[in-house]
Amino acid sequence: MVVGIGLSSLLHGSAYSQIPLPQAGGETTVHNRTSRAYEQPAPNLDAYWADLHAAGDIAFEAAFVTAPAPVNPGLGPLFNGTSCAGCHLKNGRGMAKQGQRVVRVSHLEATKLDPSDDPGVYAAETPAPGGNAFPVPGLGLQVQEHGVHGFAPEAVVQVTWQEQPGRYGDGTPYTLRSPQIQLYRPDNTPVGDGVLISNRIPQPVFGAGLLEAIAEADILAQADPDERNGDGISGRANRVWDVVQQAPMLGRFGWKANTPTLLQQTAAAYVNDMGVTNPLFPAADGSQDIDQETLTAAAVYVQTLAVPARTLLDDARVQRGERLFAEANCTACHLSTWRTGNHPIPALAEQTIHPYTDLLLHDMGTGLADGRPDFEASGNEWRTPPLWGIGLAQTVLPYSGFLHDGRARTLEEAILWHGGEAELAKETFRTMSAADREALIWFLRSL
Ligand code: HEC
Ligand code: HEC
Ligand SMILES: [Ca+2]
Ligand SMILES: [Ca+2]
Ligand SMILES: [Ca+2]
């Protein structure tokens, strides 16, 4: 087997070790760069999990309607969207608009609530132990912008876009835009000062199972809360309430890592986003619109989606862009490589993956701040989002936006909004030559 030994030492030799592999999601990777790239089942599922994935696919697509009805009853009475797939379009991000965005609200301190005039406060919206977000009378912790027949939406969300000009180091001008949110009660009175507001777009859902399979200790080992290594970048873990464990757990999901598991993320989406009560979040009288089987299937669906393979690996611009990405220290937060640990779903365990996230919270400066704390996350902090598959975002959904509220229309704008701990990385990008900026963007497009 001389050939075999020769080939393997060539592949693993120093000359080739710098070349990144396309297997972004380990054995869950698919070679698909079409608009359907985020919708593929992981190719390494066994028959049992493939069946559950297929059942979950149906649950994820299912549009709920007002009860009583023969299929999928239980929508509302208050809701934002009617199906998972209606917000996470083709499993990718959604738009910053009514029916897709989620506007979270809170007070910093507890306010006396009158439950009789506050039907919008679901079980998942009541303050969790250790939480620092308190419900707003009439709104709870999340604004449902729709009601079934006979129920008024909790509020009308008015968005105005504010533009601000800037310039690259070489003088080339650009314009950034950010949304200003005003909430109006059903009687048209503006929701008063002192209500903290966070406006969030739906995130891509593929690959989330792999992020759930990373060992907690490995994530905590990346945190540098006291900034000991002096690179200006800290990285803190969120600790959030786990409703199954009835204990605080590491937060991993959502723009502020405010949810510990995909099961809880799914159950909270059912009850808060669609008004669909379920085993984790039953109605006050204990009744449930869906059973455990449906809830589990929907969670397994997002856990077992494939990650699209990288592309253009031998393109010189992409290779240069990848070096610039590292040189600008983007990799300090958008950490390229992880090894997953154990997971009940065998296909997710022991995989080498390239999500480009540290799953930690970072102070991103006042430009991106929403001012609304979420468990340990401050009003300035956001979880580093994974960048895998981001090159396909606008193939999957043309005009889809980037960052937590979809304000960035392009990858360039997303980078230019970085501040706080990422100020230096942003400035490195802003002051690059046009060719270098383009190469860095080509690297992002290859993901
Ligand atoms: C009204 C729109 C809407 C609906 C309906 C909806 N989601 Fe979401 N989803 C969002 C938004 C917005 C976020 C980000 C939430 C945050 O940061 O607080 C999100 C976040 C997520 C995440 C976290 C992804 C990550 O990278 O951390 C998952 C997983 C998810 N949703 C799954 C689901 C499932 C499963 C359903 C159906 C049961 C569903 N969603 C229904 C809007 C929606
Ligand atoms: C200090 C940590 C940190 C550094 C350094 C950093 N980022 Fe980010 N990045 C984040 C966080 C946190 C967000 C989410 C911010 C938000 O949504 O408001 C983000 C968002 C993004 C997004 C948008 C992702 C999405 O899903 O919408 C892109 C693209 C991105 N970063 C690229 C880069 C590039 C390129 C660099 C280097 C020039 C860089 N980042 C440096 C933390 C960082
Ligand atoms: Ca219901
Ligand atoms: Ca509410
Ligand atoms: Ca540091």
Side-chain angles (χ1 to χ4, degrees), residues 324-403:
L324 292 164
F325 186 78
E327 278 165 31
N329 211 18
C330 310
T331 41
C333 304
H334 296 285
L335 207 67
S336 71
T337 305
W338 289 92
R339 179 90 183 151
T340 65
N342 294 326
H343 195 278
I345 303 177
L348 303 175
E350 303 298 337
Q351 298 295 320
T352 299
I353 59 172
H354 306 291
Y356 295 92
T357 174
D358 57 4
L359 292 176
L360 296 171
L361 300 170
H362 296 277
D363 182 330
M364 295 297 285
T366 49
L368 284 175
D370 63 0
R372 180 182 181 276
D374 213 336
F375 293 97
E376 303 278 301
S378 76
N380 278 14
E381 284 176 317
W382 300 98
R383 178 200 73 169
T384 311
L387 298 180
W388 53 14
I390 202 164
L392 287 163
Q394 293 183 337
T395 304
V396 170
L397 178 68
Y399 308 112
S400 66
F402 301 100
L403 301 173

Side-chain angles (χ1 to χ4, degrees), residues 195-243:
V195 174
L196 309 178
I197 300 175
S198 184
N199 172 28
R200 307 184 188 181
I201 60 166
Q203 301 165 292
V205 295
F206 66 87
L210 293 163
L211 301 180
E212 193 175 52
I214 298 173
E216 171 165 341
D218 292 348
I219 296 168
L220 297 179
Q222 294 297 326
D224 182 18
D226 304 320
E227 233 292 77
R228 298 242 161 122
N229 70 352
D231 64 353
I233 293 175
S234 58
R236 300 196 311 131
N238 205 350
R239 291 213 79 83
V240 308
W241 188 249
D242 186 311
V243 296

Side-chain angles (χ1 to χ4, degrees), residues 90-171:
K90 297 189 173 139
N91 296 349
R93 51 195 76 216
M95 303 295 281
K97 64 177 192 187
Q98 187 186 22
Q100 293 178 24
R101 73 179 157 222
V102 165
V103 176
R104 302 200 183 288
V105 289
S106 58
H107 279 310
L108 268 183
E109 277 160 33
T111 320
K112 197 172 177 303
L113 282 178
D114 177 357
S116 64
D117 70 3
D118 200 41
V121 180
Y122 293 116
E125 284 194 52
T126 53
N132 47 8
F134 294 93
V136 178
L139 302 177
L141 293 172
Q142 174 172 332
V143 176
Q144 281 80 21
E145 296 185 57
H146 290 286
V148 298
H149 185 70
F151 285 82
E154 288 181 323
V156 171
V157 178
Q158 197 188 76
V159 181
T160 46
W161 291 96
Q162 221 166 59
E163 300 213 321
Q164 70 189 65
R167 276 181 196 281
Y168 286 109
D170 64 10

Side-chain angles (χ1 to χ4, degrees), residues 1-185:
M1 299 305 285
V2 173
V3 171
I5 291 162
L7 185 62
S8 114
S9 61
L10 183 68
L11 285 173
H12 298 289
S14 57
Y16 286 80
S17 61
Q18 299 303 312
I19 296 180
L21 293 167
Q23 301 297 104
E27 289 162 35
T28 75
T29 307
V30 283
H31 289 265
N32 185 324
R33 300 291 294 181
T34 72
S35 65
R36 299 259 151 196
Y38 300 162
E39 295 179 284
Q40 311 303 315
N44 61 337
L45 298 177
D46 60 29
Y48 173 82
W49 292 102
D51 281 354
L52 255 185
H53 178 94
D57 195 353
I58 293 166
F60 197 85
E61 294 282 337
F64 281 78
V65 296
T66 315
V71 282
N72 307 326
L75 178 69
L78 296 171
F79 62 100
N80 289 295
T82 61
S83 69
C84 312
C87 287
H88 300 279
L89 302 173
K90 297 189 173 139
N91 296 349
R93 51 195 76 216
M95 303 295 281
K97 64 177 192 187
Q98 187 186 22
Q100 293 178 24
R101 73 179 157 222
V102 165
V103 176
R104 302 200 183 288
V105 289
S106 58
H107 279 310
L108 268 183
E109 277 160 33
T111 320
K112 197 172 177 303
L113 282 178
D114 177 357
S116 64
D117 70 3
D118 200 41
V121 180
Y122 293 116
E125 284 194 52
T126 53
N132 47 8
F134 294 93
V136 178
L139 302 177
L141 293 172
Q142 174 172 332
V143 176
Q144 281 80 21
E145 296 185 57
H146 290 286
V148 298
H149 185 70
F151 285 82
E154 288 181 323
V156 171
V157 178
Q158 197 188 76
V159 181
T160 46
W161 291 96
Q162 221 166 59
E163 300 213 321
Q164 70 189 65
R167 276 181 196 281
Y168 286 109
D170 64 10
T172 311
Y174 56 76
T175 308
L176 302 178
R177 54 156 210 178
S178 60
Q180 311 298 314
I181 305 286
Q182 184 60 257
L183 300 179
Y184 293 90
R185 308 246 183 207

